[in-house]
Amino acid sequence: MKKILILGAGTGGTIMANKLRKALDREEWDITIVDKHKTHYYQPGFLFIPFGIYNKQDVIKPKADFIPAGVNIIYSDIDKIVPDNNKVLLEGGKALNYDFLIVATGTRVDPAETPGLKDELWQKEIFDFYTVEGAVALREFFETWQGGRLVMNIAELPFKCPVAPLEFVFLADEYFTKAGIRDKVDITYVTPLPGAFTKPKSTKMLGELLNEKNITVIPDFYLERVDNKEKKIKSYDGQEVPFDVLAIVPVNKGDDMIERSGMGDDLNFIPTDKHTLRSEKYENIFVLGDASNIPTSKAGSVVHFAADVLFDNIQCAIKGRELRAKFDGHANCYIETGFGKGSLIDFNYETEPLPGTYPLPGIGPFGLLQNTKMNHYGKVIFRWIYWHILLKGKELPIENEMTMAGKKR
Amino acid sequence: MTQKTVAGVNLEVTDDGYLVDSSQWTEKIAKEIAKEENIELNDKHFEVIKFIRENADSGLTIRKVGKSGVVDIKGFYDLFPGGPLKMSTKIAGIQKPSSCV
């Protein structure tokens, strides 16, 4: 019996377990997936929790519901990968051997990386919304807040779901407007990027939208530390921004297990071939999604597109053939912009987000780099698609490779 | 893309002033580009520039330079005030780092 081992039962690992179990002979291939948690989180939903749009129950389901019959699931911490021996050690010493390994252990926030962040104000006046605990604590804070300076800051690049902090300030603008205290809330967006986003066209569109909504942008701010006494964030080059409540995207890092295995870069992301998705160092190790260092967004849509490529390449690798499929870095992100509207961006390694329609050229129904009600519905419906279609590895009526059709330069 | 004469050499540069062909780079060119950014290059600058040129293909970040052992992040800001990575890569004659998010 040959063995495929998947580390991490998040979006990527779960999709791969479903795809591979369907395709591979059960008599020939044993598939095992390992994760430390029993709960699957719908992470795009975290964003809505601080504003009371979703609650905790809306974003959680048991992981076991999504792992197909015929796949062994082990709930355990992982000690480390021993790539030279084709072996993974679990906490407690149990060893799992593999012929092929898929690492899909994701990225996580590490507030301890920034001095003063996980200090006395943590979860009191400083919150993240990348954990369900942070998102729920922030909702409780917002429910009775009287207004003041709300600062949204990104500590380091790259980070998971690069549009989330933008969506956060757009939704905050709506939330405090409806609460009748928008005039008492000063919203500032503080980012290490040179503008609202990375590439020229989307930066312009999103920058204008922020301006329209009276949200101040402070670019080129690289966070050094948080001063809990003065309630200020301070950058390496001496800039200071005062806050009454700070929403933060802490430094993102790959799993500690990657570091223990000696396989990561300085942020524990695994050096990975950006086209084949194979580890740069080990022939029988593949890396899916946020755990890799490929230069595209860390986001569920990327994992979903990359899973198709990885599936093809694993088939090639199993047969001892050259890896045929090439990932293009495709990402597709809905951006909630508040008041029942949304925007949408679609891009890859080579092509920046451009205006147009998606997925059908000239028809849509979604508008790229446009602010429409339909885009918002897309995001709302996506939660259902995620649980019922995407995680189970079923086909969606969109291509994994980005297309120029429907886009305007 | 535009043509530009720097230190007597005719160079092709991008719209925001980055060398297209990194192999044309010389220390003289670096000094001249730095002057346009109001920076007088010293030995420490060149140590950092050396690290940056050697690691041009590795997805450079401010954090990575800060962990290089050549300079810490604060020192990096002191050498290249404002946007240290943007400025140092320009002076080092390599591609503008694309911030991937």
Side-chain angles (χ1 to χ4, degrees):
Chain A
M1 196 78 148
K2 284 180 278 186
K3 290 178 178 3
I4 291 182
L5 180 57
I6 304 171
L7 303 182
T11 309
T14 304
I15 293 176
M16 283 319 290
N18 280 288
K19 282 180 178 288
L20 289 170
R21 188 65 291 169
K22 223 174 286 168
L24 299 178
D25 189 338
R26 292 192 188 201
E27 304 294 315
E28 212 180 324
W29 286 95
D30 175 278
I31 302 175
T32 299
I33 189 164
V34 184
D35 199 292
K36 58 185 149 192
H37 299 299
K38 289 191 170 169
T39 303
H40 191 110
Y41 291 99
Y42 174 60
Q43 295 180 64
F46 288 2
L47 169 74
F48 296 106
I49 292 176
F51 308 107
I53 302 166
Y54 285 174
N55 59 46
K56 195 176 164 182
Q57 297 317 313
D58 294 324
V59 298
I60 56 175
K61 286 184 193 281
K63 277 193 196 303
D65 288 3
F66 303 95
I67 305 300
V71 170
N72 315 306
I73 180 155
I74 299 175
Y75 298 107
S76 167
D77 270 308
I78 299 160
D79 176 22
K80 62 179 167 189
I81 304 166
V82 191
D84 293 325
N85 296 340
N86 298 327
K87 192 166 76 177
V88 169
L89 299 177
L90 302 182
E91 198 183 37
K94 189 178 175 197
L96 301 172
N97 296 308
Y98 61 81
D99 294 282
F100 291 97
L101 179 69
I102 298 169
V103 184
T105 42
T107 174
R108 64 190 175 81
V109 294
D110 189 359
E113 278 279 323
T114 304
L117 185 51
K118 211 173 177 181
D119 217 321
E120 56 195 273
L121 296 180
W122 180 247
Q123 307 290 41
K124 293 189 183 71
E125 288 171 6
I126 300 175
F127 305 89
D128 77 292
F129 52 86
Y130 280 76
T131 59
V132 81
E133 296 77 23
V136 169
L138 186 50
R139 167 162 64 192
E140 283 164 12
F141 179 90
F142 277 163
E143 273 168 356
T144 53
W145 194 39
Q146 308 289 309
R149 283 171 299 212
L150 165 61
V151 172
M152 172 77 244
N153 175 232
I154 299 150
E156 176 65 288
L157 308 173
F159 62 99
K160 180 158 38 185
C161 192
V163 297
L166 284 165
E167 298 181 281
F168 179 86
V169 290
F170 288 139
L171 290 175
D173 167 64
E174 176 184 354
Y175 179 85
F176 293 114
T177 302
K178 288 184 172 163
I181 58 165
R182 181 63 179 92
D183 57 332
K184 296 193 186 72
V185 178
D186 180 53
I187 307 178
T188 308
Y189 188 78
V190 186
T191 170
L193 289 169
F197 204 60
T198 48
K199 298 284 158 52
K201 289 204 166 63
S202 50
T203 297
K204 182 164 179 287
M205 185 264 175
L206 293 163
E208 282 166 6
L209 208 51
L210 288 163
N211 191 26
E212 224 171 82
K213 292 174 190 284
N214 206 12
I215 297 164
T216 311
V217 178
I218 298 178
D220 291 316
F221 184 102
Y222 192 43
L223 180 67
E224 183 190 6
R225 63 195 176 91
V226 180
D227 189 321
N228 284 253
K229 289 274 172 306
E230 295 177 23
K231 291 217 268 183
K232 281 177 179 166
I233 51 173
K234 299 188 171 181
S235 77
Y236 280 102
D237 58 346
Q239 300 179 68
E240 298 184 349
V241 180
F243 63 85
D244 293 304
V245 57
L246 174 65
I248 183 107
V249 182
V251 174
N252 271 238
K253 291 176 85 174
D255 202 282
D256 287 339
M257 173 274 293
I258 307 290
E259 190 174 10
R260 288 195 292 272
S261 312
M263 289 173 65
D265 63 12
D266 52 340
L267 288 168
N268 300 347
F269 298 123
I270 303 175
T272 304
D273 184 295
K274 69 177 187 175
H275 295 302
T276 64
L277 307 177
R278 177 150 68 185
S279 145
E280 282 181 3
K281 213 167 156 196
Y282 302 100
E283 285 244 307
N284 61 342
I285 299 181
F286 291 83
V287 191
L288 180 60
D290 300 351
S292 79
N293 76 337
I294 61 173
T296 184
S297 295
K298 295 197 178 299
S301 68
V302 175
V303 175
H304 168 231
F305 298 131
D308 282 350
V309 172
L310 183 58
F311 177 72
D312 288 349
N313 280 345
I314 292 220
Q315 310 268 41
C316 292
I318 282 172
K319 297 188 180 87
R321 298 209 171 111
E322 208 170 298
L323 307 184
R324 203 175 57 179
K326 303 258 180 278
F327 187 52
D328 65 349
H330 189 189
N332 180 282
C333 311
Y334 287 96
I335 308 169
E336 280 291 294
T337 54
F339 296 96
K341 287 188 175 181
S343 189
L344 179 66
I345 52 176
D346 191 64
F347 56 102
N348 67 12
Y349 292 141
E350 313 295 337
T351 309
E352 68 167 312
L354 295 170
T357 55
Y358 186 88
L360 300 176
I363 296 171
F366 304 117
L368 295 169
L369 277 185
Q370 297 169 36
N371 195 24
T372 71
K373 283 202 157 67
M374 186 53 88
N375 289 338
H376 164 71
Y377 295 136
K379 181 123 187 169
V380 172
I381 289 163
F382 186 72
R383 183 170 59 133
W384 189 91
I385 293 175
Y386 182 85
W387 291 124
H388 295 275
I389 300 177
L390 191 134
L391 278 183
K392 298 190 170 162
K394 295 181 188 165
E395 295 294 319
L396 274 169
I398 47 173
E399 295 296 320
N400 75 55
E401 213 169 306
M402 198 207 77
T403 167
M404 280 307 292
K407 293 189 174 69
K408 281 171 279 192
R409 288 236 182 238
Chain B
M1 305 290 170
T2 44
Q3 297 288 325
K4 192 175 167 189
T5 306
V6 183
V9 187
N10 199 19
L11 298 171
E12 201 178 353
V13 296
T14 63
D15 294 338
D16 31 13
Y18 288 76
L19 253 61
V20 173
D21 179 1
S22 156
S23 69
Q24 287 185 303
W25 181 89
T26 61
E27 293 201 355
K28 250 191 182 158
I29 289 173
K31 281 183 182 159
E32 204 150 310
I33 299 174
K35 212 169 274 171
E36 290 172 17
E37 304 285 349
N38 298 316
I39 298 173
E40 191 76 39
L41 295 184
N42 60 31
D43 292 351
K44 192 73 196 170
H45 285 106
F46 276 111
E47 261 182 71
V48 176
I49 288 169
K50 183 166 177 276
F51 174 83
I52 283 171
R53 283 186 63 85
E54 284 168 358
N55 292 277
D57 297 326
S58 70
L60 278 170
T61 59
I62 292 178
R63 168 179 293 264
K64 197 171 267 180
V65 177
K67 284 185 176 178
S68 63
V70 178
V71 68
D72 63 9
I73 296 178
K74 260 211 143 64
F76 192 30
Y77 269 95
D78 289 342
L79 291 173
F80 303 96
L85 196 61
K86 271 184 287 182
M87 210 173 284
S88 60
T89 47
K90 193 186 219 176
I91 295 169
I94 65 165
Q95 264 187 5
K96 186 179 181 178
S98 56
S99 23
C100 297
V101 294

